[in-house]
Every structure is written in C-alpha cells, then in structure tokens.
Amino acid sequence: MAAVARFLIRGANSKLSVPGIGAGAQSSYGATLLKLSATCNACTKPQRRHVAHFTFQPDPVPSQYGPTQKMNLFQSVTSALDNTLASDPTAVIFGEDVAFGGVFRCTVGLRDKYGKDRVFNTPLCEQGIVGFGIGVAVTGATAIAEIQFADYIFPAFDQIVNEAAKYRYRSGNLFDCGKLTIRAPWGCVGHGSLYHSQSPEAFFAHCPGIKVVIPRGPVQAKGLLLSCIADMNPCIFFEPKILYRAAVEQVPVEAYTIPLSQADVLQEGSDVTLVAWGTQVHVMREVASMAQEKLGVSCEVIDLQTILPWDIDTVCKSVAKTGRLLISHEAPVTGGFASEISSTVQEECFLNLEAPIRRVCGYDTPFPHIFEPFYIPDKWKCFEAIKRMINY
C-alpha cells in the first residue's frame, strides 16, 4: 500500500501520466493512500519474534580442567581448534570460507596464526571437501573438514558412508582414515527455512564405522570436539548454530576431553526420563521444571551427546527406574533417531514401562520458514506429552 502511494505521489510530482487519471486525481489518490498506509502498515506488518523457543541453561563452572574463560559456543570451538593446531603439527583445517573465519566465525584468526598451509579454503564442493579429508587422514595427518551447513552435507554422503566409514574394514585394518573429523553447523536457527535448519543425524546413525556427536553448550563443545579429533575413527561433529552466540559458559582455556558414547545425566528424577541432544536439551530442562512445578512430576534429564554409538546403558537404567520415556529432537519424527531409542528401550525395558514411549519431534514436512514456531518441538508440546504419560 505504501509503495503504491509513493508511486502515485512520484508520478504526480514528475508529471507522469497514468491513463484515466489526471494529475490532480493522482495527487488526491496518493494523499488518500498515504493516510491509509499508516493504518494498513500497523495491520499487516509482521511482528518480530523476540523470544527463542528455549532458554539456555549454563552448566556449573568446571574446575577439573584448570583456568576458565567466558566463551560462547563458537569461541569454544575456535579454542578447541587452536589447541589442536598448536599441539599437532600435522593438523589442517579446510572448508568453504574457513580461511577468513567462516560464516559463523569459528576459525577466525587461525590462518593468521598458523599459516595458509594449515587453514585454507576449498572450492564449493562438499564431496570434494570430504574426499580430500579422507586422503589427508589416510596419510596419518589430522584432517578437520568444515561443511558450511549440515543441510549441504548430502553431496558428501557417498564419501562419508561408502569411503570414510568403510576404509578400515575393507582393508582389514591395514589402512584407515580415523583422523578425519567433519564439523557442520546444525539445527534450527529461527529463520533458516528449508536449507539452513535441518538435523540430519539420523541419516548417519545407520552407518557403522563413524561416530556422530552433538554438544549442548560451549563446555561440551570444546571437550567433545577435542575427543572427536583425538578419536581413531572418523567423526561427524554437529554444532547447534542457534547456540553459537546464545550459549555462554566458563570454558577451560587448556585442552581437555569429554568421553564419547557416554550420556550425561543432568538432573535425576523418579517419574519420567527425558532424553534429548543439542539445543533440545535446554527445552527438556525447562520442561522438567514445569512438570515439577505444575504437576509434581519428577523428571530425569539425559543429554545423549553421542548419537552413534549411543549410550544404551544409561538410558535403559534410567527408564527402568522411572518407567516412562520421552524423547525429543528437531528432525522429522518418522525415521528420526528417537525411533531407534524407542525400539531399543522397548526391547530392554518392556516390563518396566508404565506408559507408551512418547516422541515429540519435528513434523514430516520440509523445515518451514514463517511456520517454524509451529514446527519445532517446544516446551508446551513436551509438557503435554508428559501429562499424557502420567495420566495413562
């Protein structure tokens, strides 16, 4: 409406002739439209969302790893990469735009500090990035590849699944590319839409020979990334990009590791087990507080951390105690990793279950743009699932 008004006003001022409308009429219509445009703008202007679907809950300051420094998640990733380049002369970092810091600034300053031969850009070719990384790792060097967004990892799917994951097996352990780590920003971000919001971890969970890891915050990001880099198996490290700046914690400055394939029990409880990873862990923490406050329900919150191979024992031990399980992730519900957890727990803990296992996940649709608030598994959907389990 405002654009039409401006067009008509400009036309009147510049003697532009509009068929069927004289100059005076144009000016009159323009003035009328300008008066209306303020009202219409108030009605049609989209309201900005100022509140995320989660509240980041920082962990206690770790004391066992030495001095700490305030870092957000992308800075903790940078710190881990810095530690690796400093301690391992064979380590190289490569990917699209990493030489000047990357789109999320995770490699900022590293090329200047360690040189263009150790931190360098690649062509826009994910298959080539991973294929190159496999070759580097086979020589015994430490290869850290960045895929700019997890959504674009699929061109490299063949290299990861048919080459990296099988390299050791097909050579009878004569050769391997275990020193390969693939980093990728992952998950919803509030405005990423179809191609910058996906959570593809379940695709790789079906592939023996690799490890898949997703942190929940800066402290875990640094420790788990360093564990992936040190691990003698190719690893995929998905980084929740919505947490890059939103998540801030006191992170140890020196290098440290957090064990892979070991879930973290963040809160003990007796009535319901809540399992998640990445950003969704913070949703579950808030849901646990809501359940305690509004329902008097005690929830045990578990951060899975490693998707493949996952910590079956910790989850099953918790479900045997609580009798109920809720799993939540951002990826679509059908074929999501929650399905694998549900199946395993049903097999191992069938006689302990007090209610059917519930999954609160994304819908079976492409990730939407303006409808993202309706798509994501927020605290209200998870809270409703808890009520249904308790009332079963």
Side-chain angles (χ1 to χ4, degrees):
M1 181 68 78
V4 173
R6 286 194 296 271
F7 172 77
L8 291 174
I9 293 293
R10 276 201 304 270
N13 293 338
S14 63
K15 308 302 182 184
L16 177 66
S17 176
V18 179
I21 302 180
Q26 290 178 41
S27 178
S28 174
Y29 284 137
T32 303
L33 286 171
L34 276 179
K35 290 178 182 178
L36 290 173
S37 67
T39 306
C40 292
N41 279 345
C43 297
T44 61
K45 186 176 180 181
Q47 294 187 359
R48 297 187 61 177
R49 288 168 32 229
H50 299 286
V51 180
H53 71 285
F54 70 97
T55 300
F56 177 74
Q57 301 189 31
D59 285 355
V61 178
S63 57
Q64 66 270 41
Y65 304 122
T68 63
Q69 182 178 323
K70 187 178 181 180
M71 300 183 197
N72 58 27
L73 195 140
F74 91 76
Q75 290 169 329
S76 73
V77 170
T78 307
S79 179
L81 298 176
D82 188 10
N83 292 152
T84 300
L85 291 169
S87 62
D88 183 352
T90 73
V92 290
I93 299 172
F94 48 92
E96 297 161 15
D97 303 324
V98 301
F100 62 80
V103 293
F104 291 106
R105 318 308 295 151
C106 290
T107 55
V108 67
L110 297 181
R111 182 186 64 172
D112 295 338
K113 185 174 182 178
Y114 295 101
K116 63 181 181 180
D117 292 333
R118 300 189 66 195
V119 182
F120 50 89
N121 290 334
T122 65
L124 201 158
C125 177
E126 288 79 13
Q127 185 177 14
I129 292 170
V130 174
F132 174 77
I134 293 170
V136 170
V138 168
T139 68
T142 299
I144 305 171
E146 179 182 301
I147 303 297
Q148 200 165 81
F149 286 89
D151 311 60
Y152 300 128
I153 203 169
F154 300 112
F157 196 78
D158 177 64
Q159 287 293 315
I160 296 170
V161 173
N162 280 331
E163 302 297 337
K166 297 176 173 61
Y167 212 102
R168 188 194 306 274
Y169 184 84
R170 75 178 187 181
S171 70
N173 203 30
L174 292 176
F175 311 102
D176 70 81
C177 58
K179 301 192 80 172
L180 169 65
T181 300
I182 302 168
R183 296 178 41 251
W186 163 99
C188 78
V189 70
H191 50 264
S193 193
L194 283 76
Y195 300 121
H196 298 83
S197 303
Q198 296 178 62
S199 303
E201 66 271 14
F203 287 96
F204 299 99
H206 195 60
C207 181
I210 59 175
K211 295 187 177 182
V212 181
V213 180
I214 307 174
R216 70 175 179 271
V219 173
Q220 284 71 32
K222 180 173 181 178
L224 290 170
L225 178 54
L226 287 171
S227 293
C228 287
I229 294 170
D231 195 271
M232 292 311 297
N233 295 281
C235 296
I236 301 176
F237 188 77
F238 288 126
E239 300 163 6
K241 56 184 173 285
I242 199 171
L243 298 181
Y244 272 139
R245 289 171 175 80
V248 179
E249 292 177 329
Q250 289 294 130
V251 181
V253 177
E254 299 301 322
Y256 63 97
T257 58
I258 295 175
L260 302 181
S261 298
Q262 185 173 311
D264 193 0
V265 180
L266 304 179
Q267 175 180 316
E268 293 192 354
S270 57
D271 298 322
V272 182
T273 298
L274 309 180
V275 174
W277 48 90
T279 311
Q280 203 63 18
V281 170
H282 304 289
V283 175
M284 290 300 217
R285 280 178 149 178
E286 191 170 358
V287 169
S289 299
M290 291 169 58
Q292 183 66 61
E293 178 184 342
K294 299 177 182 296
L295 306 174
V297 172
S298 172
C299 296
E300 184 149 298
V301 181
I302 297 177
D303 177 7
L304 204 58
Q305 297 192 127
T306 303
I307 303 300
L308 184 70
W310 65 288
D311 188 351
I312 298 174
D313 290 343
T314 297
V315 174
C316 288
K317 181 180 177 181
S318 175
V319 175
K321 175 176 64 174
T322 65
R324 301 174 183 87
L325 174 62
L326 170 61
I327 313 153
S328 184
H329 57 62
E330 295 174 12
V333 62
T334 300
F337 196 66
S339 302
E340 176 62 27
I341 299 173
S342 299
S343 177
T344 301
V345 170
Q346 189 271 343
E347 291 174 359
E348 299 293 330
C349 308
F350 181 74
L351 296 179
N352 301 101
L353 291 173
E354 300 289 345
I357 298 170
R358 303 286 300 185
R359 293 174 294 158
V360 181
C361 309
Y363 296 124
D364 290 333
T365 69
F367 202 100
H369 186 199
I370 60 171
F371 295 118
E372 178 176 313
F374 304 99
Y375 179 93
I376 54 178
D378 60 17
K379 61 183 179 182
W380 301 109
K381 294 177 184 176
C382 295
F383 182 67
E384 184 64 27
I386 289 177
K387 289 198 293 185
R388 290 185 179 182
M389 283 193 292
I390 293 298
N391 294 327
Y392 179 78

